[in-house]
Amino acid sequence: MNTFGNILKLTSFGESHCPAIGGVIDGFPANIDIDVDFIQSELNRRRPGTSKLTTSRNEADAVEFLSGIFNGKSTGCPIGFIIRNNDAHSNDYSSIKDLFRPSHADYTYDQKYGIRDYRGGGRASARETAIRVVGGAMAKLLLKQIGVDINARISQVGNVVLNGTKEECDKQYSEIVSQVKAEGDSIGGIISCSIQNCPVGLGEPIYGKLHAALGFAMLSINAVKGFDYGMGFDGIGQKGSELNDVFYNEGDGIKTKTNNSGGIQGGISNGEEIYFRVAFKPVPTIMQDQETVDKEGNKVIFKAKGRHDPCVLQRALPVVESMAALVIADYYLLNKTNKI
Amino acid sequence: MNTFGNILKLTSFGESHCPAIGGVIDGFPANIDIDVDFIQSELNRRRPGTSKLTTSRNEADAVEFLSGIFNGKSTGCPIGFIIRNNDAHSNDYSSIKDLFRPSHADYTYDQKYGIRDYRGGGRASARETAIRVVGGAMAKLLLKQIGVDINARISQVGNVVLNGTKEECDKQYSEIVSQVKAEGDSIGGIISCSIQNCPVGLGEPIYGKLHAALGFAMLSINAVKGFDYGMGFDGIGQKGSELNDVFYNEGDGIKTKTNNSGGIQGGISNGEEIYFRVAFKPVPTIMQDQETVDKEGNKVIFKAKGRHDPCVLQRALPVVESMAALVIADYYLLNKTNKI
Amino acid sequence: MNTFGNILKLTSFGESHCPAIGGVIDGFPANIDIDVDFIQSELNRRRPGTSKLTTSRNEADAVEFLSGIFNGKSTGCPIGFIIRNNDAHSNDYSSIKDLFRPSHADYTYDQKYGIRDYRGGGRASARETAIRVVGGAMAKLLLKQIGVDINARISQVGNVVLNGTKEECDKQYSEIVSQVKAEGDSIGGIISCSIQNCPVGLGEPIYGKLHAALGFAMLSINAVKGFDYGMGFDGIGQKGSELNDVFYNEGDGIKTKTNNSGGIQGGISNGEEIYFRVAFKPVPTIMQDQETVDKEGNKVIFKAKGRHDPCVLQRALPVVESMAALVIADYYLLNKTNKI
Amino acid sequence: MNTFGNILKLTSFGESHCPAIGGVIDGFPANIDIDVDFIQSELNRRRPGTSKLTTSRNEADAVEFLSGIFNGKSTGCPIGFIIRNNDAHSNDYSSIKDLFRPSHADYTYDQKYGIRDYRGGGRASARETAIRVVGGAMAKLLLKQIGVDINARISQVGNVVLNGTKEECDKQYSEIVSQVKAEGDSIGGIISCSIQNCPVGLGEPIYGKLHAALGFAMLSINAVKGFDYGMGFDGIGQKGSELNDVFYNEGDGIKTKTNNSGGIQGGISNGEEIYFRVAFKPVPTIMQDQETVDKEGNKVIFKAKGRHDPCVLQRALPVVESMAALVIADYYLLNKTNKI
């Protein structure tokens, strides 16, 4: 279950403190220009250490492509890549070896597998999302060829809705997160994502509805607790007569006057903007004493050490976009098979 | 993409007005008692025509099992079944043959496939959910063996939160939906679902997180626009220090004092109650004139005829439970493979 | 594991003596003419009771399509179908309920599942191949659109190689099988299959090589013990210099002078004729006393009753073609995704 | 399609001359001792340059594990690994850039993808089989826990059947291959493989029969043209009465007196030895002038340069064993799910 996708498939491996994390992108169409600088720039958006608000762990996060690219183009063969874990301080984590951090995956991994790489959260670490960003950047290169554009933004932090110019939002975000950091606490929020110029017809009924695939993708991201699209949870108070999207003929094609459907009807894209929201919880690592139990069930006090983010939203933006890009690219390829 | 699941797989077929809808349940373990009466009773919960508030289409919805069961027990072989479409009035739908109903799947199916069985919404009809209920009832029979219990309830209709006794909630629901029906309109809401006694350890990192699988399952249901679990969208205003679930030793095992995680940590069940919410939009069929376009792009006025629900929440309860049961049963079987 | 295929998927269910066998064809492209008479004629080729040499069980084998077809065309939705088991004489089989027939699947099913529908061999019966023929006939309708032609013939029965005109071969086959039938014995042989006009480029390295998919398909057929393609087992005595297929330019395209590769190079079709052989064992049911054990391990003598074929080759021809058609159609659709 | 397996999955990447080849083993059970020396020793069996008869390309073929192993044990997380291509002489291959070598995959890859990494055969190179050997060695470590033993041997080279002691066979093999090498030619043969102590019950009807999975695995190996198991092609001359395997009670369990079934009945292992044969063609690279065409269709003469094996059988032994081990381990895990 470390593979994502149907035709375009991303297989991921690696833990927080192993020699390298990496992945394999399979089913990537041949003859697409691979702009490695763009991929690295996407990785840089996700990188820790880019501001005082994120963890000070300073990975270079340099991706090394190993196969499937020839003369700057994809060959149709699987694209293997790795990112070395250069800056892993394994010693930082020995104190958590034998206890279960609250709201972390320590306990469940331990119970499930009977063994756990406890260093930095092991496989459950958000470090793995770097692999998604590489895969997503590749998917974006594919989607660029057909004009699809994907953009995510932080629309809410804690219970503060962000609006205004980008600069104003960034400022507001920084202020809130700085305050939370000072308290040794953490905070969540909402990322809103928009997909423009998605071709009509993507989505595979019944169990491959496009929004279900997007929801699955988003819910697989660390710390995500909810997903909705179109009118979502917020539209529940309205009636059918208020929410139905009326079709009209724009001359060059059929459009809808409103877009409460969020660009997807019956699980299939209708050509309008696809938009959805992703709810992130506050990350469980906080710089405060917390009660918990150790492996033997003894009560212990845990206080986090090391480098941690008070808020993951900023770094999660390219992850959300990447998972969306992987879904759209995959469904674009799938959709090629419904006619001969 | 008409198959759901990894080990326990439900394959579904059928449209609203074809001779029969049906399915195949594959990977169902051998030697489990198949209580056909229970399965039929689950189907009856979903059946239209059971109250004045739901469509008056009166399908018997009698499931006929064709294979995979011998002497009342599952054999490990695929279980085929059909439900005849006895009460399909195809003539009712000829008027929608050449137009696209607002917020329905007519337009997208037409664009995707270039052909569309327009009768009663064809494959996009919620009639297909009967197949999910059969599959889900089978999954419940499996889960009964390990003590898992799944219950869904309507927690919100329109913007009215339902609480109080079951009787009070039912009364409130009936009043609201009756009013909406009288207006020829439709209304949505939220179904909340609880899974009790789920074994620890279910969920397959990274791309098979248990909540991601549940979300995917729910989002595949007709009219669903959102999913969250645990603290979900509503917990975003709180901080890590408020939401973290503290572990303690209950004597007979490790528990958490609170359950904001919703019974899942790192994508793996931790033994606490799993709970999640599913947002349903108002169904798009309303008994009012609506503007739209026909296939040639001409503006037309559409008014629904036939039998339709003003609110699907009541009938959706067994569907939500069924999809949850299919996921839990599937992940239970998957989890058998992580150790030798 | 009752689903075959990647994009074009056939899911099968049913045992020898359950109410009906059936299947679901998913991923079938939209807008293809469905010639039901052709499909039934393919089924008739497989039907028992068509000559004195095959079992006298006289199933009508009438396929009933339930969904996915509208106005004579595929809609892109899953195509469900059933074949009723009208002529099942369950009483014939009570004598085998508690023993394990030699070289049958009785023992292994019993050990694997702990329960077994013993009637007529249950799921292990070759009756299931009728479902493959329906699926294969559908695939042939798809392949007809792109000109692919698939033909199987009996090339060896026992150790007698059949050559000469079709009539001569049929005569020779009949004589051998009649003789074997008179002896109450059974006999195997080889079916050779040819695929003409297969497009260049089908086959998915590394683990989806076209010949590997064909081999997998053939080996899944009851009684098959071997598969080879191109020069196969028989070419082993020759050297590279003798077997290499030299390319030349025919003017309208590149061809090979010889075709020892069997139309597939590196797992990908090269446009030449694809040909392969399938080895069938003699069916294990013989009209002679055989020693075996019952469920308690007691030695017993078993003598088959009922209706059985001394040789399955004639009836297996449409099954071999069907599985080949399913593979080629599936890989044709898959191949649409390797470029954007 | 670069992933092999259902539960235990090997994903492979890499070409002959890219920076590294590698793979990801997913679904590997937790808590199994990983003997890296054993894995390397298996790789060494496959390595070129180990005798004067194989290519003199001298890769260290040192596997580097990157993830999924902690304190010498598997963690249940995906195991990523790479093997650097240290000894790749890319310049050797520039002469084949624009032509299609006879019976190689140059032409088909070119046609399928429109682009081709021509260096050393690219993805079609047998170099990829090193990845299979790593995966297979891991599977062997798993199977060791349950006592399964897998052994392959060369049973035929050209048309010479090898029998006698191992030493005699090796000598005979060496003589034949030396002679062929001297001629600048190549030669094929048969590898026979035996699986001892396979548990009863492995194999998933209908489309996951154990022998079909083994056949698929073997046919995916470079240069393989055929597969049979049990009596296979050679038993076709015999009748049912001669080939049926009679059950008897050995006291401690039910056995068969003969084993023409090859340890598999109805697609499910019966506890007897599983044995099968794999036919390899002579590799197409020969040290002789060959006629062919270039990309423009012009006739050209091709003569191989570089390092090539006149016979791959010796090096293919661990590859055959590895693919068998992957299948058996995968089906062992799958079989855990057929009962609760």
Side-chain angles (χ1 to χ4, degrees):
Chain A
M1 301 290 259
N2 290 283
T3 297
F4 182 85
N6 297 280
I7 296 291
L8 178 62
K9 286 185 274 203
L10 173 66
T11 297
S12 151
F13 65 85
E15 295 90 43
S16 181
H17 286 66
C18 61
I21 59 174
V24 186
I25 300 162
D26 198 9
F28 197 85
N31 260 310
I32 294 184
D33 289 321
I34 305 303
D35 179 345
V36 175
D37 290 343
F38 169 72
I39 297 167
Q40 187 61 50
S41 73
E42 286 287 285
L43 264 179
N44 294 349
R45 289 175 66 199
R46 194 212 73 99
R47 199 174 63 191
T50 55
S51 87
K52 61 177 181 179
L53 299 176
T54 60
T55 146
S56 54
R57 176 171 173 174
N58 202 334
E59 302 276 354
D61 270 0
V63 61
E64 180 189 5
F65 285 100
L66 300 173
S67 68
I69 302 171
F70 188 57
N71 292 338
K73 288 178 187 293
S74 60
T75 62
C77 297
I79 297 162
F81 62 90
I82 58 173
I83 300 172
R84 292 277 168 190
N85 280 331
N86 295 314
D87 187 35
H89 298 177
S90 296
N91 293 341
D92 284 352
Y93 296 96
S94 56
S95 66
I96 62 168
K97 179 180 165 191
D98 295 318
L99 60 77
F100 303 129
R101 291 168 297 161
S103 287
H104 270 281
D106 301 342
Y107 174 69
T108 50
Y109 268 71
D110 204 77
Q111 291 288 305
K112 182 178 184 74
Y113 298 112
I115 181 174
R116 171 169 62 98
D117 181 348
Y118 50 81
R119 299 168 303 170
R123 182 69 177 152
S125 163
R127 175 128 189 80
E128 182 271 339
T129 58
I131 302 310
R132 303 175 189 238
V133 172
V134 175
M138 294 285 296
K140 284 183 179 181
L141 291 175
L142 187 164
L143 293 175
K144 199 177 146 192
Q145 307 278 331
I146 53 169
V148 178
D149 198 28
I150 300 176
N151 287 288
R153 64 185 183 84
I154 301 169
S155 55
Q156 189 174 324
V157 54
N159 44 28
V160 178
V161 176
L162 301 184
N163 40 38
T165 65
K166 183 165 187 317
E167 254 168 54
E168 289 164 345
C169 290
D170 285 354
K171 185 159 172 287
Q172 215 173 350
Y173 177 78
S174 289
E175 284 169 4
I176 295 168
V177 176
S178 296
Q179 174 64 24
V180 169
K181 187 173 190 177
E183 295 165 5
D185 215 331
S186 64
I187 196 161
I190 295 179
I191 288 179
S192 294
C193 186
S194 158
I195 305 171
Q196 306 273 2
N197 298 324
C198 181
V200 183
L202 307 197
E204 299 295 322
I206 295 297
Y207 303 122
K209 293 194 168 94
L210 187 58
H211 57 267
L214 287 167
F216 180 71
M218 298 305 144
L219 288 159
S220 78
I221 300 171
N222 304 42
V224 171
K225 304 294 285 189
F227 168 89
D228 65 3
Y229 82 104
M231 53 164 253
F233 276 96
D234 288 346
I236 284 167
Q238 290 172 279
K239 294 186 186 152
S241 59
E242 299 170 286
L243 288 167
N244 278 359
D245 295 318
V246 168
F247 287 110
Y248 73 104
N249 189 340
E250 218 193 29
D252 64 338
I254 291 171
K255 300 279 175 188
T256 62
K257 290 189 180 173
T258 52
N259 184 20
N260 294 309
S261 299
I264 302 173
Q265 290 174 326
I268 300 169
S269 61
N270 68 357
E272 305 291 329
E273 180 195 14
I274 296 171
Y275 62 95
F276 58 84
R277 301 188 307 158
V278 188
F280 285 79
K281 72 170 181 180
V283 285
T285 301
I286 56 178
M287 297 295 123
Q288 302 178 7
D289 285 357
Q290 292 184 89
E291 203 182 300
T292 189
V293 296
D294 66 17
K295 280 191 155 188
E296 279 71 41
N298 302 311
K299 191 167 162 176
V300 291
I301 299 299
F302 166 68
K303 184 167 183 179
K305 284 188 276 190
R307 307 153 301 185
H308 298 282
D309 290 331
C311 181
V312 295
L313 293 172
Q314 188 69 48
R315 294 179 58 198
L317 290 172
V319 181
V320 165
E321 291 178 7
S322 289
M323 295 310 289
L326 283 166
V327 169
I328 300 297
D330 186 30
Y331 275 70
Y332 171 75
L333 295 173
L334 263 177
N335 194 43
K336 286 174 164 288
T337 67
N338 76 63
K339 293 176 196 155
I340 61 166
Chain B
M1 298 292 258
N2 289 282
T3 296
F4 182 84
N6 298 280
I7 296 290
L8 177 63
K9 287 184 273 203
L10 173 66
T11 298
S12 153
F13 64 85
E15 295 92 41
S16 182
H17 287 65
C18 62
I21 60 174
V24 185
I25 300 162
D26 198 8
F28 196 84
N31 260 311
I32 293 185
D33 289 321
I34 304 304
D35 180 344
V36 174
D37 289 344
F38 169 72
I39 298 165
Q40 186 62 51
S41 72
E42 288 286 286
L43 264 179
N44 294 349
R45 289 175 67 199
R46 195 213 72 99
R47 198 174 63 190
T50 55
S51 87
K52 61 175 182 178
L53 299 175
T54 59
T55 144
S56 55
R57 177 171 172 174
N58 202 334
E59 302 276 354
D61 269 2
V63 61
E64 181 189 5
F65 285 100
L66 300 173
S67 69
I69 303 173
F70 188 57
N71 293 337
K73 287 178 188 293
S74 61
T75 62
C77 297
I79 297 164
F81 63 90
I82 58 172
I83 299 171
R84 292 278 169 188
N85 280 331
N86 296 313
D87 187 37
H89 298 177
S90 296
N91 293 340
D92 285 351
Y93 296 96
S94 55
S95 66
I96 61 169
K97 181 181 165 189
D98 295 319
L99 59 77
F100 304 130
R101 291 169 297 161
S103 286
H104 270 281
D106 301 342
Y107 173 69
T108 50
Y109 268 70
D110 205 78
Q111 291 288 306
K112 183 178 183 72
Y113 298 112
I115 181 174
R116 169 170 62 99
D117 181 348
Y118 50 80
R119 299 168 303 170
R123 182 69 179 152
S125 164
R127 176 128 189 81
E128 184 271 339
T129 58
I131 302 310
R132 303 175 187 238
V133 172
V134 175
M138 295 284 298
K140 283 184 179 181
L141 292 174
L142 186 164
L143 293 175
K144 199 177 145 190
Q145 308 276 333
I146 54 169
V148 178
D149 198 28
I150 300 175
N151 287 287
R153 65 185 182 84
I154 301 168
S155 55
Q156 189 175 324
V157 53
N159 45 28
V160 179
V161 174
L162 300 185
N163 40 37
T165 65
K166 180 163 189 320
E167 253 167 56
E168 289 165 345
C169 290
D170 284 355
K171 186 158 170 289
Q172 215 174 349
Y173 177 76
S174 288
E175 284 169 4
I176 296 167
V177 177
S178 295
Q179 174 63 27
V180 169
K181 187 173 191 177
E183 295 165 5
D185 215 329
S186 65
I187 196 161
I190 295 178
I191 288 179
S192 294
C193 186
S194 158
I195 304 172
Q196 306 273 1
N197 298 322
C198 181
V200 182
L202 307 196
E204 299 296 322
I206 295 296
Y207 304 123
K209 293 195 169 93
L210 187 58
H211 56 267
L214 286 167
F216 179 70
M218 298 307 143
L219 288 159
S220 78
I221 300 172
N222 304 46
V224 170
K225 302 296 285 188
F227 167 90
D228 65 4
Y229 82 105
M231 51 164 256
F233 277 95
D234 288 347
I236 285 167
Q238 289 172 279
K239 295 188 184 150
S241 59
E242 299 170 287
L243 288 168
N244 277 358
D245 295 316
V246 168
F247 288 110
Y248 73 103
N249 189 341
E250 217 195 29
D252 65 339
I254 290 172
K255 302 279 176 189
T256 62
K257 289 188 181 174
T258 51
N259 185 19
N260 294 310
S261 300
I264 302 173
Q265 290 174 327
I268 299 170
S269 61
N270 68 357
E272 306 291 329
E273 180 194 14
I274 296 170
Y275 61 95
F276 58 84
R277 300 187 310 158
V278 188
F280 285 78
K281 72 170 181 179
V283 285
T285 300
I286 55 177
M287 297 295 122
Q288 301 178 8
D289 285 357
Q290 292 183 88
E291 203 182 300
T292 189
V293 295
D294 65 18
K295 281 190 153 190
E296 278 70 43
N298 302 311
K299 191 169 166 175
V300 290
I301 299 299
F302 167 67
K303 184 168 184 180
K305 284 187 277 189
R307 305 153 304 185
H308 297 285
D309 291 333
C311 180
V312 295
L313 293 173
Q314 188 69 48
R315 294 179 59 195
L317 290 172
V319 182
V320 165
E321 291 178 8
S322 288
M323 295 310 290
L326 283 166
V327 168
I328 300 297
D330 186 31
Y331 275 70
Y332 171 76
L333 295 173
L334 263 177
N335 194 43
K336 285 174 164 287
T337 66
N338 77 61
K339 294 177 196 153
I340 63 164
Chain C
M1 301 290 258
N2 289 282
T3 297
F4 182 85
N6 298 281
I7 295 290
L8 177 63
K9 286 185 272 203
L10 173 66
T11 297
S12 152
F13 64 86
E15 296 91 42
S16 182
H17 286 65
C18 61
I21 59 174
V24 185
I25 300 163
D26 199 8
F28 196 85
N31 261 310
I32 294 184
D33 289 320
I34 305 303
D35 180 345
V36 175
D37 289 343
F38 169 71
I39 298 167
Q40 187 61 51
S41 73
E42 287 286 286
L43 265 179
N44 294 349
R45 289 175 65 199
R46 194 212 74 99
R47 198 173 65 190
T50 54
S51 86
K52 61 176 181 178
L53 298 176
T54 60
T55 144
S56 54
R57 177 171 172 174
N58 201 335
E59 301 276 353
D61 270 2
V63 62
E64 181 189 5
F65 284 100
L66 299 173
S67 70
I69 302 172
F70 188 57
N71 293 338
K73 287 179 187 293
S74 61
T75 62
C77 297
I79 297 164
F81 62 90
I82 58 172
I83 301 171
R84 293 276 169 189
N85 279 331
N86 297 311
D87 187 36
H89 297 179
S90 296
N91 292 342
D92 285 351
Y93 295 96
S94 57
S95 66
I96 61 169
K97 180 180 165 190
D98 295 318
L99 60 76
F100 304 129
R101 291 169 296 162
S103 287
H104 271 280
D106 302 342
Y107 173 71
T108 50
Y109 269 69
D110 204 79
Q111 291 288 305
K112 182 178 184 75
Y113 298 112
I115 181 173
R116 169 169 64 97
D117 182 348
Y118 49 80
R119 298 168 303 170
R123 182 70 178 152
S125 164
R127 175 126 189 81
E128 183 271 339
T129 57
I131 302 309
R132 304 175 187 238
V133 172
V134 175
M138 294 285 297
K140 284 183 179 181
L141 291 175
L142 187 164
L143 293 175
K144 198 178 146 190
Q145 307 277 332
I146 53 168
V148 178
D149 198 27
I150 300 176
N151 288 288
R153 64 184 183 84
I154 302 168
S155 56
Q156 189 174 326
V157 52
N159 44 28
V160 178
V161 175
L162 300 186
N163 39 38
T165 65
K166 181 164 188 322
E167 254 167 57
E168 289 164 347
C169 289
D170 285 356
K171 186 159 172 288
Q172 215 174 349
Y173 177 76
S174 289
E175 284 169 4
I176 295 168
V177 177
S178 296
Q179 173 63 26
V180 169
K181 187 173 190 177
E183 295 166 5
D185 215 331
S186 65
I187 196 160
I190 295 178
I191 288 179
S192 294
C193 186
S194 158
I195 303 172
Q196 306 273 1
N197 297 323
C198 181
V200 182
L202 307 196
E204 299 295 323
I206 293 294
Y207 304 123
K209 293 194 170 96
L210 188 58
H211 56 267
L214 287 167
F216 180 70
M218 297 306 143
L219 288 159
S220 77
I221 301 172
N222 304 43
V224 170
K225 304 294 286 188
F227 167 89
D228 65 4
Y229 82 104
M231 53 163 255
F233 277 95
D234 289 347
I236 286 167
Q238 289 173 279
K239 294 187 185 152
S241 59
E242 299 169 287
L243 287 167
N244 277 359
D245 295 317
V246 169
F247 287 110
Y248 73 103
N249 189 341
E250 218 194 28
D252 64 340
I254 290 170
K255 302 278 175 188
T256 62
K257 289 189 180 172
T258 51
N259 184 19
N260 294 309
S261 299
I264 302 172
Q265 290 174 328
I268 300 169
S269 61
N270 67 357
E272 305 291 327
E273 179 194 15
I274 296 171
Y275 61 95
F276 59 83
R277 300 188 308 158
V278 188
F280 285 78
K281 72 170 181 178
V283 286
T285 300
I286 55 176
M287 297 294 123
Q288 301 179 8
D289 285 357
Q290 291 184 89
E291 203 181 300
T292 190
V293 295
D294 65 18
K295 280 189 154 191
E296 278 70 44
N298 301 311
K299 190 168 166 177
V300 291
I301 298 299
F302 167 67
K303 183 167 185 179
K305 284 188 277 191
R307 304 154 304 185
H308 298 283
D309 290 333
C311 181
V312 295
L313 293 173
Q314 187 70 47
R315 294 180 58 197
L317 291 172
V319 181
V320 165
E321 290 178 8
S322 288
M323 295 310 291
L326 283 165
V327 168
I328 300 297
D330 186 31
Y331 275 69
Y332 171 75
L333 295 173
L334 263 176
N335 195 44
K336 285 174 164 289
T337 66
N338 77 61
K339 294 177 196 154
I340 61 164
Chain D
M1 301 290 259
N2 289 282
T3 296
F4 182 85
N6 298 280
I7 296 290
L8 178 63
K9 286 185 273 202
L10 173 67
T11 298
S12 152
F13 65 84
E15 296 90 42
S16 182
H17 287 65
C18 61
I21 59 173
V24 185
I25 300 162
D26 197 8
F28 196 85
N31 260 311
I32 293 184
D33 289 321
I34 304 304
D35 180 344
V36 175
D37 290 344
F38 169 73
I39 297 166
Q40 187 60 52
S41 73
E42 287 286 286
L43 264 179
N44 294 348
R45 289 175 65 200
R46 193 212 75 97
R47 198 174 63 192
T50 55
S51 87
K52 61 175 182 182
L53 299 176
T54 59
T55 143
S56 54
R57 177 172 172 174
N58 202 335
E59 301 277 352
D61 269 0
V63 61
E64 180 189 5
F65 284 100
L66 300 173
S67 69
I69 302 172
F70 188 57
N71 292 338
K73 288 179 188 292
S74 61
T75 62
C77 297
I79 298 162
F81 62 91
I82 58 172
I83 301 172
R84 293 276 169 190
N85 280 330
N86 296 311
D87 188 36
H89 298 178
S90 296
N91 293 342
D92 286 350
Y93 296 96
S94 55
S95 65
I96 62 169
K97 181 181 166 190
D98 295 319
L99 60 77
F100 304 129
R101 291 169 296 160
S103 287
H104 270 281
D106 302 341
Y107 174 69
T108 51
Y109 268 70
D110 205 78
Q111 291 288 306
K112 182 178 184 74
Y113 299 112
I115 182 173
R116 171 169 62 97
D117 181 348
Y118 50 80
R119 299 167 302 169
R123 182 70 179 151
S125 163
R127 175 126 188 82
E128 183 271 340
T129 58
I131 302 308
R132 304 174 188 240
V133 172
V134 175
M138 294 285 296
K140 283 183 179 181
L141 291 175
L142 187 164
L143 293 175
K144 198 178 146 191
Q145 307 276 333
I146 53 168
V148 178
D149 199 28
I150 300 176
N151 288 287
R153 64 184 183 84
I154 301 168
S155 55
Q156 189 174 324
V157 53
N159 45 27
V160 178
V161 175
L162 300 185
N163 41 37
T165 65
K166 179 162 190 322
E167 253 167 57
E168 289 164 347
C169 290
D170 284 355
K171 183 157 174 288
Q172 215 173 351
Y173 176 77
S174 290
E175 285 169 4
I176 295 167
V177 177
S178 297
Q179 173 65 26
V180 169
K181 186 172 190 178
E183 295 165 5
D185 215 330
S186 65
I187 195 160
I190 295 179
I191 288 179
S192 295
C193 186
S194 158
I195 305 172
Q196 306 273 1
N197 298 323
C198 181
V200 182
L202 307 196
E204 299 296 322
I206 295 295
Y207 303 122
K209 293 195 170 94
L210 188 57
H211 57 266
L214 287 167
F216 180 70
M218 298 306 143
L219 288 159
S220 78
I221 301 171
N222 304 42
V224 171
K225 303 295 284 188
F227 168 89
D228 65 5
Y229 81 105
M231 52 165 253
F233 276 96
D234 289 347
I236 284 167
Q238 290 173 279
K239 295 186 185 153
S241 59
E242 299 170 287
L243 287 168
N244 278 359
D245 295 318
V246 168
F247 288 110
Y248 73 103
N249 189 340
E250 217 194 30
D252 65 338
I254 290 171
K255 301 279 175 188
T256 61
K257 289 190 180 173
T258 51
N259 184 21
N260 294 310
S261 299
I264 302 173
Q265 290 174 326
I268 301 169
S269 62
N270 67 358
E272 306 291 328
E273 180 194 14
I274 296 170
Y275 61 94
F276 59 83
R277 301 188 307 159
V278 188
F280 286 78
K281 73 170 181 179
V283 287
T285 301
I286 55 177
M287 298 295 123
Q288 302 179 8
D289 285 357
Q290 293 183 88
E291 202 181 301
T292 189
V293 296
D294 65 18
K295 280 189 155 191
E296 279 70 42
N298 302 312
K299 192 167 164 177
V300 291
I301 298 299
F302 167 67
K303 183 167 186 180
K305 284 187 275 191
R307 306 153 301 184
H308 298 282
D309 290 332
C311 180
V312 295
L313 293 172
Q314 188 70 48
R315 293 180 59 196
L317 289 172
V319 182
V320 165
E321 291 178 8
S322 288
M323 294 310 289
L326 283 166
V327 168
I328 299 297
D330 186 32
Y331 275 69
Y332 171 76
L333 295 173
L334 262 178
N335 194 43
K336 285 174 163 289
T337 67
N338 77 63
K339 292 176 196 155
I340 63 166

